[in-house]
Structure formats: C-alpha cells, structure tokens
Amino acid sequence: MLFFAMNPWLRAVVAVGGGLLACVSSQGAPAPDYLDDNFLYEMRSLLDTPEAWRGVSGGGHPRAVEGWGPELQLGQVSGVSVDPQGRPVLFHRGTRVWDHRTFNVTHHYQGEDGPLGEDVVLVLDPESGAVVRSWGAGHFLLPHGLTVDQRGNTWLTDVGLHQVFKFPPGGEEPELILGEPRVPGSDNTHFCKPTSVAVASSGDFFVADGYCNARVLRFAPDGVLKDKFGHPGRDGSPSSLYVPHGLALDESLDSLCVADRENRRVVCMRAGVQEPDVFGEHLRTLQDPYHGRVFDVAAFKGALVSVGGSEGESAAMGFTTDLRDGQLKDMWRPSRGFHNPHAVALSGDGTAIYVAEIGPNRVWKFVVDSNGVGTRAMY
C-alpha cells in the first residue's frame, strides 16, 4: 500500500474532498476516455499552496517544461512513448472523438467511418517539441495505446478495430497484426478494446486487453499466445481487473505492472522474463494515494511513475514509487495542474517524463535531475 506524510491542514483538506468525491463517484460501468471538466478547481488551488507541498518533493523531483510541445492542433492524445533516439512519440485521434455514442452494448464500433485519413502518429524533437515526422494515415479507426520498444518497433492498439499492430522502425506498414478488424471477442485470437503493450528485450510482448476482457496476454515474438493473466472483477484479489489500462515492464526486477484503472490501483506481478514459469505471480499492489483511477504507468530501474485522477474525480497527479518496497517517493504535476492525464512515458535514461492528456489534448515534458527518476529520494 502506498503511503505519504501530509501536514494536518492538507490531511483535513484531502479528507473532506475525498468524502465529497465518494458521494459523487460512479462505481458502475467503466467510462470511456472523456470527462467533463467542471469539478475540483478550488481543491486544486488549495493543494497548490506552498504549505501543502512542503517536504513532499525530494531528489529527482520532475519539473514541467513550460511552453514545450508541438505547435499544432491535436486530437484526443491517447498514447505517448519514447523511441531509442530519445524522441517522444504521440498517438492521437485526429478529428475523431470517443464519446457515449461510439460503441454499442456489444462493444462494436458504431457508424460507417473508415480509417482516419490523417497522420495520427507524431515523432517530436525532444528539445523543442516540434514535429519531425508524422505517419499513420489510413490505418487506424480509434487510436489508444502506443509503445516504442528497444529495437525501435512501434506497437499500437486500436479500440475501434480491436487490434494490436507492430510497425518496424521507420516503416509505415505493419509487420504484425493481431485481432480481427472491428470484431470484439474474448478467445485466443480476438481482443476487446485492447489498451496497451509492453515489450521485453527477448521480443516477448504483453497486451492489456482492456475495456471488456480485463486480462493481460503474453505473446511470443511471432504473435503466438503463451499465457494469460486476470479476470474481470472488483473482489480485491490481484487477478481481479477492471479496465487494465496501462502496462510497465521493469526487466531488472522481472516485474510487470498493470494500471488497473477502475479498481484505482497498480498491480505488479512477475513478468516471467527471467523465469517463464512464474508469470503472473503477485509481487505487490499499489494504491493511488488519492484513491483515484490510475490511467498509466512507466518503469525505470526500480522506479515506477504513474498518472492518475482527473478534475472530475480527484486531484490529477503524477506519482513516483519505489518498486522494491512499494513506498511512495514523490508526487508531481505542472504548476497549473493536470486536466485528464491519460498516458505517461520515460526517456531511456530516466531523465525526462512525458504525459499525454485527453481533454485539453496536449503533451507535457518534465525534466528530472541528472540522477534519474527519484534516485536521491530512493537511495
């Protein structure tokens, strides 16, 4: 369980805010990736006071780079990753919006819309945020997750197509496609709104499948299914998932962490990269300190960063946690606050964090000191 020290004033504010949120929070069916932005402005203002934050940050505290980002109109930004050259890569929905009319009750995409005709994958310059490459037109129906692996392959999930794609470095045609287009399913050859991918150095990869099936699937490099983890539920057990929304793999600890969104927690299990037979063994469960939904996670050498909450449910925050003992080490966000953080990514050396938001449709860059993510606080 995560924990953190707060002064009595902040503890009282959070307790009151938490009570109000408990009254208005829905515990029903999982919501899609949109939120009304009409709540908790005053709470956020209170939490931004210097007294509230005194003593919380430590070594390696992320600092937002104000004014950084592409100078173009983005659609709903659902995914972010960093390529081997250190360049952030975005996945956005262009002119298409996911709302309550997008899917029917059987999770089929509604309407006759074809693939998006615009480039929805953007490669950015890490210093300026300028777009240095764009691609993806004609491939995607409703973008969601994006991961660039150590070899430069780009993995993308599409919740409208119910598919997972692998594109080779520099390529614009997929070399691997899993799932049947526009056909949701729960068997070994179908997905239902898959959300995220994590890739091991061996080429094995993991898929969070996702909004309907609430499971994590483990595949061989050629796409052959090797194992499964999880089942839909809210019983509190490690394998009981409710919208596994993001994945983070830390091979140094053989740990695979799942942002279990609607259960408002992160579940970490053995990845089975070092010992294949232990895949799925529970390591630890981490709770968002504000008990908000956790949208995404990223890992770097024993440090886990996550983004959770929103203006509609609790203070939206970034968190840094030590994966070795589960202790919360830092909490962070831009000075004007997050709106709806949806995805998070780390640079290869752990000195930069990128957060994609849905709602304002933007990406943030945070810089971390030269010791990496939270290293002074952790060691």
Side-chain angles (χ1 to χ4, degrees):
M1 179 74 68
L2 294 182
F3 65 93
F4 62 102
M6 296 188 293
N7 61 37
W9 179 89
L10 179 57
R11 191 160 51 245
V13 170
V14 173
V16 172
L20 291 173
L21 290 168
C23 294
V24 300
S25 175
S26 170
Q27 298 298 317
D33 292 330
Y34 69 92
L35 288 165
D36 293 329
D37 54 349
N38 58 358
F39 193 63
L40 281 182
Y41 286 102
E42 293 184 11
M43 178 70 75
R44 189 180 73 189
S45 177
L46 289 172
L47 291 173
D48 281 338
T49 63
E51 283 296 321
W53 289 106
R54 185 170 295 165
V56 174
S57 63
H61 181 72
R63 174 178 55 83
V65 180
E66 297 293 337
W68 185 92
E71 295 182 354
L72 76 166
Q73 189 70 33
L74 296 171
Q76 291 183 329
V77 189
S78 58
V80 62
S81 188
V82 181
D83 70 13
Q85 290 75 48
R87 302 176 300 182
V89 185
L90 304 183
F91 199 24
H92 73 107
R93 296 175 183 153
T95 56
R96 196 156 293 166
V97 174
W98 184 357
D99 61 22
H100 64 280
R101 299 163 296 184
T102 304
F103 293 93
N104 63 16
V105 295
T106 59
H107 308 293
H108 289 82
Y109 184 83
Q110 296 298 282
E112 299 299 325
D113 302 17
L116 287 156
E118 56 205 287
D119 286 343
V120 291
V121 182
L122 306 178
V123 182
L124 309 182
D125 180 273
E127 299 303 322
S128 67
V131 177
V132 298
R133 181 189 172 211
S134 67
W135 59 279
H139 284 293
F140 305 104
L141 194 64
L142 195 62
H144 197 275
L146 175 143
T147 300
V148 183
D149 68 23
Q150 300 172 33
R151 295 179 174 86
N153 301 298
T154 301
W155 301 77
L156 300 150
T157 68
D158 190 309
V159 292
L161 291 172
H162 306 285
Q163 289 181 298
V164 176
F165 299 84
K166 176 188 177 183
F167 288 80
E172 298 188 12
E173 294 296 327
E175 68 176 28
L176 179 67
I177 303 175
L178 299 180
E180 185 177 355
R182 295 194 183 222
V183 179
S186 57
D187 58 26
N188 290 346
T189 60
H190 289 83
F191 302 103
C192 189
K193 298 177 185 171
T195 53
S196 183
V197 176
V199 187
S201 57
S202 65
D204 278 11
F205 61 97
F206 307 86
V207 176
D209 179 38
Y211 283 89
C212 325
N213 290 328
R215 60 184 181 174
V216 177
L217 306 177
R218 178 187 177 195
F219 294 90
D222 59 1
V224 173
L225 181 65
K226 297 174 69 173
D227 217 334
K228 305 177 190 178
F229 172 88
H231 64 273
R234 311 191 78 167
D235 61 21
S237 65
S239 61
S240 176
L241 305 177
Y242 196 16
V243 187
H245 197 263
L247 296 176
L249 176 64
D250 189 329
E251 292 195 53
S252 69
L253 301 178
D254 195 29
S255 175
L256 179 69
C257 293
V258 184
D260 187 12
R261 196 186 78 175
E262 298 300 308
N263 281 327
R264 300 168 183 257
R265 63 181 186 171
V266 177
V267 176
C268 296
M269 71 183 87
R270 295 286 294 276
V273 174
Q274 300 171 8
E275 301 177 58
D277 293 340
V278 301
F279 170 71
E281 287 186 6
H282 182 240
L283 290 174
R284 65 181 73 254
T285 297
L286 312 171
Q287 206 79 36
D288 179 340
Y290 286 110
H291 299 283
R293 296 185 296 168
V294 183
F295 281 79
D296 200 17
V297 284
F300 174 75
K301 294 182 179 179
L304 184 79
V305 297
S306 57
V307 288
S310 68
E311 288 183 340
E313 59 188 313
S314 64
M317 295 294 301
F319 307 97
T320 305
T321 308
D322 189 340
L323 272 178
R324 295 173 177 84
D325 58 17
Q327 292 191 25
L328 178 70
K329 295 300 182 181
D330 201 2
M331 301 163 64
W332 43 271
R333 61 181 174 183
S335 60
R336 49 185 154 153
F338 284 127
H339 186 87
N340 293 320
H342 188 266
V344 63
L346 282 162
S347 63
D349 59 3
T351 61
I353 302 172
Y354 299 92
V355 177
E357 291 199 84
I358 278 182
N361 301 330
R362 65 187 173 197
V363 59
W364 291 95
K365 178 180 180 179
F366 293 81
V367 293
V368 189
D369 67 30
S370 59
N371 292 323
V373 178
T375 48
R376 194 170 74 189
M378 291 172 60
Y379 307 113

